Amino acid sequence: MTRLQTLLEQERATFAETHPRSAAAYAAAKPHLLGGVPMTWMNLAAGGFPLYLAHAQGARVTDLDGHEYIDFALGDTGAMAGHSPPATVQAISRRAAAGITTMMPTEDAAWVGEELARRFGPPQWSFTLTATDANRWAIRIARHLTQRPKVLVNAWCYHGSVDEAFALRDGTGAVVARPGNIGAPVDLAETTRIAEFNDVEQLEQELAHGDVAVVLMEPALTNIGIVLPEPGYLEAVRRLTREHGTLLIDDETHTFSAGPGGATRAWNLEPDIVTIGKSIAGGIPVGAFGLSAELAERITGDPDADLYDTGGVGGTLAGNALSMAAARATLEHVLTDDAFEGMIERATRFTQGVQQAIDANGLPWSVSQLGARTEYRFAKPKPRNGTESAAAADRQMEDYLHTYLANRGVLITPFHNMALMCPATTDEDVDRHTELFGDALRRLT
Ligand SMILES: Cc1ncc(COP(=O)(O)O)c(C=O)c1O
């Protein structure tokens, strides 16, 4: 048995011993929950079973066994505003007592549209319940307007359960489904083109086919570790998409961490469409897509586009009064321009702490920061595209580090090694992580 295996087993034994109520709740759920959990990804639990939530507030969560944690997972960005921020809770309570969903708009929605326009640029917004749906509907609009069939995504991207996005290139350059992809509606080679992030030449080759309706991308990859854009790359993407008559969607669901207007504003990007979700309503389900004035005019003025009933763009609960009230309160009072300053400072401190521990232990790892989000990867130099980053994954190492931290009161996201700061995260929270991360590495080396 390797040293890593031994350490992981020790940590898992401690985890099992100290979390009997979570273990019992997990066992009790098995008969009637698929995979034993409300959503199957919740089985991604480094300790061997998921921790069950008792309550959460600010940057803290408490589990059923009464252990309190500093939470850097923050609902994988869904809780970037912190848990149950008071302004959002008050707005939700007021709204919930006075009609949660009806067939009527509320004034909150127009406020949120205007604020998203101020932050991200596109002037015309529409709402969904998830970021996945924002991407799906934006893709439909792009296909309709361009009359082209394909979507181009980056290798190892993630944009929610968007059918077109679960594709990779095989060794010959052919488009194939990602391993484990369930029930693709059609062969992905019919719907998808792939280019590596940061590879301008490959992007140009793929766009030259003239069949790509839209490039759907994150301005920095965040779902296979953080892969930052190299200088000039995003400008080249914009130039090439324009040259080839292809639209550009920036999915800001995670890159919103870059600042109050996401990477779009931080880096002066000019996408045709911005999509977002997760955090903007403080954890209440909402997603949104924003269209440039030109696209908005074209789609609303097109008599062949049914935006009202069965055109495939819309949802009964989308834009509901509760989501809109929560989004307004969160954007107005919680994820403010000022709040981002503090969040980004904390993330810089976190990143420095991780880098020092990596250096002190001589490990060939690297760490990348994207505003309020930071992530280390088991590779050095930093991966420059999704494929390089995917090759650096090490599940056992992640499980050891995550369980070590959890046993001592710190959570990072179960997907790879991401840590996110919310407005309530403190320097002391960050320093506690730095101390524990350093200890975990010393034991390893
Ligand atoms: C960049 C990006 N877009 C979209 C989504 C989908 O979000 P949701 O699962 O809330 O629909 C995710 C989820 O992780 C994401 O990372």
Side-chain angles (χ1 to χ4, degrees):
M1 197 185 278
T2 64
R3 180 163 183 74
L4 177 58
Q5 275 170 326
T6 310
L7 286 169
L8 175 56
E9 284 197 6
Q10 282 169 3
E11 291 303 325
R12 282 201 171 138
T14 306
F15 186 90
E17 217 171 277
T18 50
H19 298 92
R21 290 193 61 189
S22 280
Y26 183 50
K30 284 218 158 143
H32 297 295
L33 294 181
L34 185 66
V37 279
M39 182 64 239
T40 39
W41 59 254
M42 290 181 185
N43 269 321
L44 275 178
F49 54 87
L51 293 173
Y52 270 62
L53 172 69
H55 52 90
Q57 180 66 56
R60 294 281 188 287
V61 292
T62 303
D63 70 16
L64 267 194
D65 290 283
H67 305 291
E68 188 183 82
Y69 304 86
I70 302 167
D71 187 13
F72 293 105
L74 292 173
D76 196 34
T77 310
M80 188 164 82
H83 296 292
S84 298
T88 308
V89 171
Q90 278 161 24
I92 294 168
S93 311
R94 270 198 309 272
R95 189 66 260 174
I100 294 168
T101 196
T102 66
M103 293 187 84
M104 298 153 81
T106 57
E107 289 174 318
D108 288 332
W111 189 97
V112 175
E114 187 178 345
E115 176 65 4
L116 293 174
R118 179 187 77 80
R119 290 178 182 232
F120 294 93
Q124 292 271 298
W125 289 80
S126 192
F127 297 100
T128 65
L129 281 185
T130 62
T132 299
D133 271 345
N135 284 325
R136 285 185 180 143
W137 301 353
I139 287 172
R140 276 182 171 257
I141 290 172
R143 278 205 176 107
H144 183 87
L145 291 178
T146 59
Q147 292 295 300
R148 290 179 177 184
K150 290 193 177 171
V151 176
L152 186 145
V153 294
N154 295 127
W156 297 99
C157 67
Y158 185 74
H159 297 282
S161 46
V162 171
D163 294 320
E164 293 87 345
F166 293 104
L168 288 173
R169 288 160 77 99
D170 70 9
T172 69
V175 173
V176 293
R178 256 169 84 153
N181 189 23
I182 297 171
V186 292
D187 181 349
L188 285 161
E190 288 179 30
T191 60
T192 308
R193 290 195 178 278
I194 302 287
E196 289 287 356
F197 194 79
N198 276 326
D199 191 332
V200 177
E201 205 177 310
Q202 206 170 64
L203 176 67
E204 186 156 26
Q205 279 164 11
E206 294 299 316
L207 293 179
H209 293 278
D211 56 3
V212 178
V214 65
V215 170
L216 169 62
M217 67 182 292
E218 292 186 283
L221 295 181
T222 67
N223 285 294
I224 188 77
I226 293 173
V227 180
L228 295 169
E230 290 175 349
Y233 171 63
L234 295 175
E235 291 77 2
V237 171
R238 185 61 283 197
R239 178 175 52 76
L240 289 171
T241 45
R242 284 198 175 119
E243 279 173 19
H244 290 277
T246 295
L247 297 173
L248 176 62
I249 302 175
D250 276 348
D251 180 345
E252 287 274 19
T253 305
H254 281 178
T255 51
F256 185 25
S257 65
T264 302
R265 183 157 117 210
W267 301 338
N268 293 318
L269 307 178
E270 294 175 357
D272 300 293
I273 306 176
V274 169
T275 55
I276 191 162
K278 294 202 182 187
S279 61
I280 57 171
I284 294 289
V286 76
F289 60 93
L291 302 180
S292 69
E294 189 216 330
L295 290 192
E297 201 180 313
R298 281 170 60 197
I299 194 70
T300 52
D302 186 338
D304 293 332
D306 175 5
L307 288 176
Y308 304 106
D309 196 1
T310 51
V313 175
T316 310
L317 297 182
N320 72 77
L322 189 69
S323 295
M324 294 297 98
R328 177 176 182 162
T330 305
L331 293 172
E332 191 170 4
H333 302 295
V334 191
L335 286 176
T336 58
D337 293 15
D338 284 351
F340 270 92
E341 263 184 49
M343 289 154 68
I344 292 171
E345 275 171 29
R346 304 290 102 71
T348 303
R349 189 180 179 100
F350 191 105
T351 307
Q352 286 163 351
V354 167
Q355 186 66 62
Q356 280 157 16
I358 291 172
D359 293 344
N361 289 280
L363 288 162
W365 299 357
S366 51
V367 58
S368 298
Q369 183 184 349
L370 179 66
R373 164 187 303 265
T374 178
E375 173 142 10
Y376 54 89
R377 204 78 192 139
F378 309 122
K380 189 181 175 181
K382 293 178 191 187
R384 48 180 300 272
N385 60 42
T387 299
E388 283 179 19
S389 201
D394 182 341
R395 199 50 202 270
Q396 201 173 42
M397 183 66 77
E398 283 176 14
D399 284 354
Y400 161 62
L401 292 168
H402 295 199
T403 314
Y404 185 92
L405 293 171
N407 282 337
R408 291 154 187 85
V410 169
L411 298 180
I412 64 172
T413 175
F415 304 114
H416 30 104
N417 304 307
M418 191 278 283
L420 186 65
M421 313 297 134
C422 70
T425 308
T426 64
D427 281 349
E428 291 71 34
D429 295 342
V430 169
D431 293 347
R432 177 70 179 143
H433 172 270
T434 302
E435 183 193 332
L436 290 175
F437 183 67
D439 291 346
L441 296 198
R442 268 192 295 284
R443 287 185 196 215
L444 198 61
T445 56

